[in-house]
Structures are given as C-alpha cells and as structure tokens.
Coordinates of all heavy atoms in Angstrom, one line a residue:
M135 N 0.8 -1.1 0.0 CA 0.0 0.0 0.0 C 0.9 1.2 0.0 O 1.8 1.3 0.8 CB -0.9 0.0 1.2 CG -1.9 1.1 1.3 SD -3.2 1.0 0.1 CE -4.3 -0.2 0.7
V136 N 0.6 2.2 -0.9 CA 1.3 3.4 -1.0 C 0.4 4.6 -0.8 O -0.7 4.6 -1.3 CB 2.0 3.5 -2.4 CG1 2.7 4.9 -2.5 CG2 2.9 2.4 -2.7
E137 N 0.8 5.5 0.1 CA -0.1 6.7 0.4 C 0.1 7.7 -0.7 O 1.2 7.9 -1.2 CB 0.2 7.2 1.7 CG -0.3 6.3 2.9 CD -0.2 7.0 4.2 OE1 -0.4 8.2 4.3 OE2 0.0 6.2 5.2
G138 N -1.0 8.4 -1.0 CA -0.9 9.5 -1.9 C -2.0 9.4 -3.0 O -2.6 8.3 -3.1
G139 N -2.1 10.4 -3.8 CA -3.1 10.3 -4.9 C -2.6 9.4 -6.0 O -1.3 9.3 -6.2
A140 N -3.4 8.8 -6.8 CA -3.0 7.8 -7.8 C -2.1 8.4 -8.8 O -1.1 7.8 -9.2 CB -4.3 7.2 -8.4
A141 N -2.5 9.6 -9.3 CA -1.7 10.2 -10.4 C -0.3 10.6 -9.9 O 0.7 10.4 -10.6 CB -2.4 11.4 -10.9
E142 N -0.2 11.1 -8.6 CA 1.1 11.5 -8.1 C 2.0 10.3 -7.8 O 3.2 10.3 -8.1 CB 0.9 12.3 -6.8 CG 0.3 13.6 -7.0 CD -1.3 13.6 -7.1 OE1 -1.9 12.6 -6.8 OE2 -1.8 14.6 -7.5
V143 N 1.4 9.2 -7.3 CA 2.2 8.0 -7.0 C 2.7 7.4 -8.3 O 3.8 7.0 -8.5 CB 1.3 7.0 -6.2 CG1 2.0 5.6 -6.2 CG2 1.0 7.5 -4.8
L144 N 1.8 7.3 -9.4 CA 2.2 6.7 -10.6 C 3.3 7.6 -11.3 O 4.2 7.1 -11.9 CB 1.0 6.6 -11.5 CG 0.0 5.5 -11.2 CD1 -1.3 5.5 -12.0 CD2 0.7 4.1 -11.4
A145 N 3.1 8.9 -11.2 CA 4.1 9.8 -11.8 C 5.5 9.6 -11.1 O 6.5 9.6 -11.8 CB 3.6 11.3 -11.7
E146 N 5.5 9.5 -9.8 CA 6.7 9.2 -9.1 C 7.4 7.9 -9.6 O 8.6 7.8 -9.8 CB 6.5 9.2 -7.6 CG 7.7 8.9 -6.8 CD 8.8 9.9 -7.0 OE1 8.6 11.1 -7.2 OE2 10.0 9.5 -6.9
R147 N 6.6 6.9 -9.7 CA 7.1 5.6 -10.1 C 7.5 5.6 -11.6 O 8.4 4.9 -12.0 CB 6.0 4.5 -9.9 CG 5.6 4.2 -8.5 CD 6.5 3.2 -7.9 NE 6.2 3.0 -6.5 CZ 5.5 1.9 -6.0 NH1 5.1 1.0 -6.8 NH2 5.3 1.8 -4.7
A148 N 6.9 6.4 -12.4 CA 7.2 6.5 -13.8 C 8.6 7.2 -14.1 O 9.1 7.1 -15.2 CB 6.1 7.3 -14.5
R149 N 9.2 7.8 -13.1 CA 10.4 8.5 -13.3 C 11.5 7.5 -13.8 O 12.4 8.0 -14.6 CB 10.9 9.2 -12.1 CG 10.1 10.3 -11.6 CD 10.7 11.0 -10.4 NE 9.9 12.1 -10.0 CZ 10.4 13.1 -9.4 NH1 11.6 13.1 -8.9 NH2 9.6 14.1 -9.0
T150 N 11.4 6.3 -13.4 CA 12.4 5.3 -13.9 C 11.9 4.3 -14.9 O 12.5 3.3 -15.1 CB 13.0 4.5 -12.6 OG1 11.9 3.9 -12.0 CG2 13.7 5.5 -11.7
A151 N 10.7 4.6 -15.4 CA 10.1 3.7 -16.3 C 10.3 4.1 -17.8 O 10.5 5.3 -18.1 CB 8.6 3.6 -16.0
S152 N 10.1 3.2 -18.7 CA 10.1 3.5 -20.1 C 8.7 3.7 -20.7 O 8.6 4.3 -21.7 CB 10.9 2.4 -20.9 OG 10.3 1.1 -20.7
L153 N 7.7 3.2 -19.9 CA 6.4 3.3 -20.4 C 5.4 3.1 -19.2 O 5.7 2.3 -18.4 CB 6.1 2.3 -21.5 CG 4.6 2.1 -22.0 CD1 4.2 3.4 -22.8 CD2 4.4 0.9 -22.8
V154 N 4.3 3.9 -19.2 CA 3.2 3.6 -18.2 C 2.0 3.3 -19.0 O 1.6 4.0 -20.0 CB 3.0 4.9 -17.4 CG1 1.8 4.7 -16.4 CG2 4.2 5.3 -16.6
V155 N 1.3 2.2 -18.7 CA 0.1 1.8 -19.3 C -1.0 2.0 -18.2 O -0.9 1.4 -17.2 CB 0.1 0.4 -19.8 CG1 -1.2 0.0 -20.5 CG2 1.3 0.2 -20.8
I156 N -2.0 2.7 -18.5 CA -3.1 3.0 -17.6 C -4.5 2.7 -18.2 O -4.7 3.0 -19.4 CB -3.0 4.4 -17.0 CG1 -4.0 4.5 -15.8 CG2 -3.1 5.4 -18.0 CD1 -3.8 5.8 -15.0
G157 N -5.3 2.1 -17.5 CA -6.7 1.8 -18.0 C -7.6 3.0 -17.9 O -7.4 3.9 -17.0
R158 N -8.6 3.1 -18.7 CA -9.6 4.2 -18.7 C -10.9 3.6 -18.5 O -11.3 2.6 -19.2 CB -9.5 5.0 -19.9 CG -10.6 6.1 -19.9 CD -10.6 6.9 -21.2 NE -11.2 6.1 -22.3 CZ -12.5 5.9 -22.6 NH1 -13.4 6.4 -21.8 NH2 -12.8 5.2 -23.6
D159 N -11.7 4.0 -17.6 CA -13.0 3.6 -17.3 C -13.9 3.9 -18.6 O -13.7 4.9 -19.2 CB -13.6 4.2 -16.1 CG -14.9 3.6 -15.6 OD1 -15.7 3.3 -16.4 OD2 -15.0 3.4 -14.4
H160 N -14.8 3.1 -18.9 CA -15.6 3.3 -20.1 C -16.7 4.4 -19.9 O -17.3 4.8 -20.9 CB -16.3 1.9 -20.5 CG -17.4 1.5 -19.6 ND1 -17.1 0.8 -18.4 CD2 -18.7 1.7 -19.6 CE1 -18.2 0.6 -17.8 NE2 -19.2 1.1 -18.5
R161 N -16.9 4.8 -18.7 CA -17.9 5.9 -18.5 C -17.4 7.2 -19.1 O -16.2 7.5 -19.0 CB -18.2 6.0 -17.1 CG -18.9 4.8 -16.4 CD -19.0 5.1 -15.0 NE -17.7 4.9 -14.4 CZ -17.4 5.2 -13.1 NH1 -18.3 5.7 -12.3 NH2 -16.2 5.0 -12.6
T162 N -18.3 7.9 -19.8 CA -17.9 9.3 -20.2 C -19.0 10.2 -19.8 O -20.1 9.8 -19.4 CB -17.8 9.3 -21.8 OG1 -19.1 8.9 -22.3 CG2 -16.7 8.4 -22.3
T163 N -18.6 11.5 -19.8 CA -19.6 12.5 -19.4 C -20.3 12.9 -20.7 O -20.0 12.5 -21.8 CB -18.9 13.7 -18.7 OG1 -18.0 14.3 -19.7 CG2 -18.1 13.3 -17.5
L164 N -21.3 13.8 -20.5 CA -22.0 14.4 -21.6 C -21.0 15.0 -22.6 O -21.3 14.9 -23.9 CB -23.0 15.4 -21.1 CG -24.0 16.0 -22.2 CD1 -24.8 14.8 -22.8 CD2 -24.9 17.0 -21.5
G165 N -20.0 15.6 -22.1 CA -19.0 16.2 -23.1 C -18.1 15.2 -23.7 O -17.2 15.5 -24.5
G166 N -18.2 13.9 -23.3 CA -17.3 12.8 -23.9 C -15.9 12.9 -23.5 O -15.0 12.8 -24.3
A167 N -15.6 13.1 -22.2 CA -14.2 13.2 -21.7 C -13.4 12.0 -22.2 O -13.9 10.8 -22.1 CB -14.2 13.2 -20.2
L168 N -12.2 12.2 -22.7 CA -11.4 11.1 -23.2 C -10.6 10.4 -22.1 O -10.3 9.2 -22.2 CB -10.4 11.7 -24.2 CG -11.0 12.2 -25.5 CD1 -9.9 12.8 -26.3 CD2 -11.7 11.1 -26.2
F169 N -10.3 11.1 -21.0 CA -9.5 10.6 -19.9 C -10.1 10.8 -18.6 O -10.8 11.9 -18.4 CB -8.1 11.1 -19.9 CG -7.4 11.0 -21.2 CD1 -6.9 12.1 -21.9 CD2 -7.0 9.7 -21.7 CE1 -6.3 11.9 -23.1 CE2 -6.4 9.6 -22.9 CZ -6.0 10.7 -23.6
G170 N -9.9 9.9 -17.6 CA -10.3 10.1 -16.3 C -9.3 11.0 -15.5 O -8.3 11.4 -16.1
S171 N -9.6 11.4 -14.3 CA -8.7 12.3 -13.6 C -7.3 11.7 -13.3 O -6.3 12.4 -13.4 CB -9.4 12.7 -12.3 OG -9.6 11.5 -11.5
T172 N -7.2 10.4 -13.1 CA -5.9 9.8 -12.9 C -5.1 9.9 -14.1 O -3.9 10.3 -14.1 CB -6.0 8.3 -12.4 OG1 -6.8 8.3 -11.2 CG2 -4.7 7.7 -12.2
A173 N -5.6 9.4 -15.2 CA -4.9 9.5 -16.5 C -4.5 10.9 -16.9 O -3.4 11.2 -17.3 CB -5.7 8.8 -17.6
R174 N -5.4 11.8 -16.7 CA -5.2 13.2 -17.1 C -4.0 13.8 -16.2 O -3.1 14.4 -16.6 CB -6.4 14.1 -16.9 CG -6.2 15.5 -17.3 CD -7.5 16.4 -17.2 NE -8.5 15.8 -18.1 CZ -9.6 15.3 -17.7 NH1 -9.9 15.2 -16.4 NH2 -10.5 14.8 -18.5
G175 N -4.1 13.5 -14.9 CA -3.1 13.9 -13.9 C -1.7 13.3 -14.3 O -0.7 14.0 -14.2
L176 N -1.7 12.1 -14.6 CA -0.4 11.4 -15.0 C 0.1 12.0 -16.3 O 1.3 12.3 -16.4 CB -0.7 9.9 -15.2 CG 0.5 9.1 -15.4 CD1 1.6 9.2 -14.4 CD2 0.1 7.6 -15.6
L177 N -0.7 12.3 -17.3 CA -0.2 12.9 -18.5 C 0.4 14.2 -18.3 O 1.3 14.6 -19.0 CB -1.4 13.0 -19.5 CG -1.9 11.7 -20.1 CD1 -3.2 11.9 -20.8 CD2 -0.8 11.1 -21.0
H178 N -0.1 15.0 -17.3 CA 0.4 16.3 -17.1 C 1.6 16.3 -16.1 O 2.3 17.4 -16.0 CB -0.7 17.2 -16.5 CG -1.7 17.6 -17.5 ND1 -1.4 18.5 -18.5 CD2 -2.9 17.2 -17.7 CE1 -2.5 18.6 -19.3 NE2 -3.4 17.8 -18.8
H179 N 1.9 15.2 -15.4 CA 3.0 15.2 -14.4 C 4.1 14.2 -14.7 O 4.9 13.9 -13.8 CB 2.4 15.0 -13.0 CG 1.5 16.1 -12.6 ND1 0.1 16.0 -12.7 CD2 1.8 17.2 -12.0 CE1 -0.4 17.2 -12.2 NE2 0.6 17.9 -11.8
T180 N 4.3 13.7 -15.9 CA 5.4 12.8 -16.2 C 5.9 13.1 -17.6 O 5.1 13.5 -18.5 CB 5.0 11.3 -16.0 OG1 6.2 10.6 -16.1 CG2 3.9 10.9 -17.0
R181 N 7.1 12.8 -17.8 CA 7.7 12.9 -19.1 C 7.8 11.5 -19.8 O 8.1 11.4 -20.9 CB 9.1 13.5 -19.1 CG 9.1 15.0 -18.7 CD 10.4 15.6 -18.6 NE 10.3 16.9 -18.2 CZ 11.2 17.9 -18.5 NH1 12.3 17.5 -19.1 NH2 11.1 19.1 -18.1
T182 N 7.5 10.5 -19.0 CA 7.5 9.1 -19.5 C 6.3 8.9 -20.4 O 5.2 9.4 -20.1 CB 7.4 8.2 -18.3 OG1 8.5 8.4 -17.4 CG2 7.4 6.7 -18.8
P183 N 6.4 8.2 -21.5 CA 5.3 8.0 -22.4 C 4.2 7.2 -21.6 O 4.5 6.4 -20.8 CB 5.9 7.1 -23.5 CG 7.3 7.3 -23.5 CD 7.7 7.7 -22.1
V184 N 3.0 7.6 -21.9 CA 1.8 7.0 -21.3 C 0.9 6.5 -22.3 O 0.5 7.2 -23.3 CB 1.0 8.1 -20.4 CG1 -0.2 7.5 -19.8 CG2 2.0 8.6 -19.3
C185 N 0.4 5.2 -22.1 CA -0.5 4.6 -23.0 C -1.8 4.4 -22.2 O -1.8 3.8 -21.2 CB 0.0 3.2 -23.5 SG -1.2 2.3 -24.5
V186 N -2.9 5.1 -22.7 CA -4.2 5.0 -22.0 C -5.0 3.9 -22.8 O -5.4 4.1 -24.0 CB -4.9 6.3 -22.0 CG1 -6.2 6.2 -21.2 CG2 -4.0 7.4 -21.3
V187 N -5.4 2.9 -22.1 CA -6.2 1.8 -22.7 C -7.6 1.8 -22.3 O -7.9 1.8 -21.0 CB -5.6 0.4 -22.3 CG1 -6.4 -0.8 -22.9 CG2 -4.1 0.4 -22.7
P188 N -8.6 2.0 -23.2 CA -10.0 2.1 -22.8 C -10.5 0.7 -22.2 O -10.0 -0.4 -22.6 CB -10.7 2.4 -24.1 CG -9.8 2.0 -25.2 CD -8.4 2.1 -24.6
N189 N -11.4 0.9 -21.3 CA -12.0 -0.3 -20.6 C -11.1 -1.3 -20.0 O -11.3 -2.5 -20.0 CB -12.9 -1.0 -21.7 CG -14.0 -0.1 -22.3 OD1 -14.5 0.7 -21.6 ND2 -14.2 -0.2 -23.5
A190 N -10.0 -0.8 -19.4 CA -9.0 -1.6 -18.7 C -8.7 -1.0 -17.4 O -7.8 -0.1 -17.4 CB -7.8 -1.8 -19.6
P191 N -9.3 -1.4 -16.3 CA -9.1 -0.7 -15.0 C -7.8 -1.1 -14.3 O -7.8 -1.7 -13.2 CB -10.3 -1.1 -14.2 CG -10.7 -2.5 -14.7 CD -10.3 -2.4 -16.2
V192 N -6.7 -0.9 -15.0 CA -5.4 -1.2 -14.4 C -4.3 -0.2 -14.7 O -4.6 0.6 -15.6 CB -4.9 -2.6 -14.9 CG1 -5.8 -3.7 -14.6 CG2 -4.6 -2.5 -16.4
A193 N -3.2 -0.2 -14.0 CA -2.1 0.6 -14.3 C -0.8 -0.3 -14.2 O -0.7 -1.0 -13.3 CB -2.0 1.8 -13.4
V194 N 0.1 -0.1 -15.2 CA 1.3 -0.9 -15.2 C 2.4 0.1 -15.5 O 2.3 0.9 -16.4 CB 1.3 -2.0 -16.3 CG1 2.6 -2.7 -16.4 CG2 0.1 -2.9 -16.1
V195 N 3.5 0.0 -14.7 CA 4.7 0.8 -15.0 C 5.8 -0.2 -15.5 O 6.1 -1.2 -14.8 CB 5.2 1.5 -13.7 CG1 6.5 2.2 -14.0 CG2 4.1 2.4 -13.2
V196 N 6.3 0.0 -16.7 CA 7.3 -0.8 -17.2 C 8.7 -0.2 -17.0 O 9.0 0.9 -17.4 CB 7.1 -1.0 -18.8 CG1 8.1 -1.9 -19.4 CG2 5.7 -1.5 -19.1
D197 N 9.5 -1.0 -16.2 CA 10.8 -0.5 -15.9 C 11.8 -0.5 -17.1 O 11.7 -1.3 -17.9 CB 11.5 -1.4 -14.8 CG 10.8 -1.2 -13.5 OD1 10.3 0.0 -13.2 OD2 10.8 -2.1 -12.6
R198 N 12.6 0.5 -17.1 CA 13.6 0.6 -18.2 C 14.6 -0.5 -17.9 O 15.0 -0.8 -16.8 CB 14.4 2.0 -18.1 CG 13.5 3.1 -18.5 CD 14.3 4.3 -18.6 NE 13.5 5.4 -19.2 CZ 13.2 6.5 -18.6 NH1 13.6 6.7 -17.4 NH2 12.4 7.4 -19.1
P199 N 15.2 -1.1 -19.0 CA 16.2 -2.1 -18.9 C 17.5 -1.5 -18.2 O 17.8 -0.3 -18.5 CB 16.5 -2.6 -20.3 CG 15.7 -1.7 -21.2 CD 14.8 -0.9 -20.4
R200 N 18.1 -2.2 -17.4 CA 19.3 -1.7 -16.7 C 20.5 -2.0 -17.7 O 20.6 -3.0 -18.3 CB 19.6 -2.4 -15.4 CG 18.5 -2.2 -14.5 CD 18.7 -2.9 -13.2 NE 17.4 -2.8 -12.4 CZ 17.4 -2.1 -11.3 NH1 18.4 -1.4 -10.8 NH2 16.2 -2.1 -10.6
V201 N 21.4 -1.0 -17.8 CA 22.6 -1.1 -18.6 C 23.9 -1.1 -17.8 O 23.9 -0.6 -16.8 CB 22.7 0.0 -19.7 CG1 22.5 -0.5 -21.0 CG2 21.8 1.2 -19.4

C-alpha cells in the first residue's frame, strides 16, 4: 500500500520507467471526456510515455532495462 493520490504515485514511479500503461473507465460524461482524472493527472505530471487503454481498469509501470 502506498499513500498519496493515484496520479502522483504513478508519476513518481514513472520516473524510472520506459512506459506507463493505464486503463480508462468506459464511462464518459455528456462532453465525452477522453481521460479520467488519474490518466489526465499522470499525462500532465510525467515525461514518461503514457498509453491509455480504454475499458481496462489497471495501471502498469514498465521499468527501463538496466545497462
């Protein structure tokens, strides 16, 4: 268990990752929001590439290979 907001925790973990894959809930608002708050927050707080997958309620951080 890690304390903190989901986007902030994922952004911190993403610092050493080559890719972050995050699921997006299928629910949309009347305006048709493309991302939920966690995905949006992560996209704005990391330089690591982020892949947002619709209808997949998970998040995966892929570590960079060690050289």
Side-chain angles (χ1 to χ4, degrees):
M135 184 69 77
V136 178
E137 289 190 31
E142 292 82 12
V143 170
L144 288 169
E146 177 62 33
R147 297 273 177 102
R149 288 182 182 205
T150 61
S152 56
L153 175 67
V154 176
V155 180
I156 187 167
R158 179 185 69 81
D159 194 316
H160 69 277
R161 293 176 288 170
T162 58
T163 62
L164 186 58
L168 295 175
F169 303 117
S171 59
T172 300
R174 185 177 299 113
L176 183 59
L177 288 167
H178 288 288
H179 292 98
T180 186
R181 293 181 180 202
T182 303
V184 177
C185 176
V186 181
V187 180
N189 301 322
V192 299
V194 177
V195 176
V196 179
D197 290 330
R198 290 189 174 117
R200 297 178 193 250
V201 249

